[in-house]
Amino acid sequence: MNPWELYKKYFNVWESATAQYMEHWLKSPLILEPAGAMLSASMKFKAEADKKAASFWGNIGLPTKQDQERALHKLNQLESKLLDLEEKLAEYEAK
Amino acid sequence: MNRLFNLMRRASAPAPQVGQTPADVVHRENKWRLLRYRPRAEGIAHATPVLMVPSLINRHYVLDLMPGKSFAEWMVEQGFDTYIIDWGTPTDEDRYLSFDEICDRYLARALRVSTRFAKTEQAHVLGYCLGGTLAAIHAAVRPERIATLTALAAPIRFEDDGLLSAWTRARGFDVEAVVGGFGNVPWQLMQGAFHLLRPTMTLSKAVSVIDRAWDDAFLDGFFAIETWGNDNVSFPGECYKKYIVELWQEDALIKDALTLSGKPVRLKNIDCPVFAITFEHDNIVPHESARVLLDRVRSRDKTHLHLAGGHVGAVVSKKAKTTLWPQLAEYWAARDGDRSAKKSGKAAKPGKAAKAAKLAEPGKPAKAARTGKKRGLAPPKHAKVRSDS
């Protein structure tokens, strides 16, 4: 057997065993719970920091990033409703 | 040595061209677009259009990977009037975009626009991965415009022994906090999670590439899939909350506990022909989680196709052209609407044609009941079309 084929054979065995071993650990609550808690805690911290920054801009009478996002989202919803109306009008015209 | 030289030569080559099948944008709303692939020169052979609904997480062009390896291109060649939703890239304001807006309003619009263009009442719907879940939920609440439902590796039961199920149920994982912090859930977070499904995959791929570095056709396909795999989109925050909490954590779809725009979602309300396709080595959607759709729907016409291969490879590989794609085409052709009914303004009746065709055994493609004639390609009067080739 040439060396490359031999390498591939052993690599496949190693890969399969390693993947199984890692899957076992990646399912384990010992890993998942602290990882989930760390992610959630860092996100809560970020959300809190964003809130503080937003209240600063709000206090000086400026719209925050979230205010602008909400307004843009409402515009998108409005566009969808206009499209609904256009479709209904087209249906009536067709009748 | 030749292999390595070939790989080095490829390293300086331009990135593969993906999503090349000519298409027109027939509808645009917020970030999503509905594309209609330009029909073949000989005309369309099947009355009922096909609407493809891809996952929200990945780009739509996985179904139009590259010339010669594109499901969309192949469908056009077979004479289908083919549409696909491109969900686009959510921006910051889309953190408020809800699951219901996407699954109900947007999907309903895509169905209305595609059927209006095709001048039919109904369309065949093909949902891939999460797109299949969206299509099944939509079909359970708004079945009117769906001729047949094809769920391609689409999760329906979310509680299984897979890694994704374990991660989303992990204590300490607070979806509210993640969405509150990120807004839209960044694609890097989701891509990282998908890599962790098989952390050794990157090394495996490297060995495969070196092993087949002499094969230019293989390398073309490999780099195209890699381009697609690394071109992900972030998940709208509000939508992500419902997706994770109600679908993954509560498994509400299979338990009939899900609602869509306030209406209960009951899979047993689906009575159109249903085709569930599962893959043996799918480590993202275990096949039993997808096949269970057939146990829950009321349809009499149910088909299950189980194929070898993984979640993506089995759909876009060279082999798919001789295994999966022809079976899909024959399934739709056998259930093509009645053209004469359509011309007289009545709804097309999918299912009628199916009775005339023997079908449904996995692995044994059926003969199409009819292929239909060519028909006009003109869009409806008020339709807006933009070129997107």
mmCIF file of all heavy atoms in Angstrom, chain B residues 149 270 326:
data_model
loop_
_atom_site.group_PDB
_atom_site.id
_atom_site.type_symbol
_atom_site.label_atom_id
_atom_site.label_comp_id
_atom_site.label_asym_id
_atom_site.label_seq_id
_atom_site.Cartn_x
_atom_site.Cartn_y
_atom_site.Cartn_z
ATOM 1 N N LEU B 149 -46.530 19.501 -1.471
ATOM 2 C CA LEU B 149 -45.511 19.991 -0.533
ATOM 3 C C LEU B 149 -44.355 18.998 -0.528
ATOM 4 O O LEU B 149 -44.546 17.818 -0.242
ATOM 5 C CB LEU B 149 -46.118 20.102 0.868
ATOM 6 C CG LEU B 149 -45.136 20.393 2.010
ATOM 7 C CD1 LEU B 149 -44.525 21.780 1.866
ATOM 8 C CD2 LEU B 149 -45.834 20.276 3.358
ATOM 9 N N ILE B 270 -52.882 19.405 6.614
ATOM 10 C CA ILE B 270 -52.251 19.329 5.280
ATOM 11 C C ILE B 270 -52.830 18.123 4.548
ATOM 12 O O ILE B 270 -52.664 16.983 4.997
ATOM 13 C CB ILE B 270 -50.710 19.191 5.407
ATOM 14 C CG1 ILE B 270 -50.129 20.404 6.143
ATOM 15 C CG2 ILE B 270 -50.062 19.019 4.043
ATOM 16 C CD1 ILE B 270 -48.636 20.325 6.406
ATOM 17 N N PRO B 326 -34.111 13.693 -10.733
ATOM 18 C CA PRO B 326 -35.135 13.101 -11.617
ATOM 19 C C PRO B 326 -36.377 12.660 -10.849
ATOM 20 O O PRO B 326 -37.494 12.759 -11.365
ATOM 21 C CB PRO B 326 -34.421 11.887 -12.222
ATOM 22 C CG PRO B 326 -32.981 12.132 -12.033
ATOM 23 C CD PRO B 326 -32.842 12.957 -10.812
#
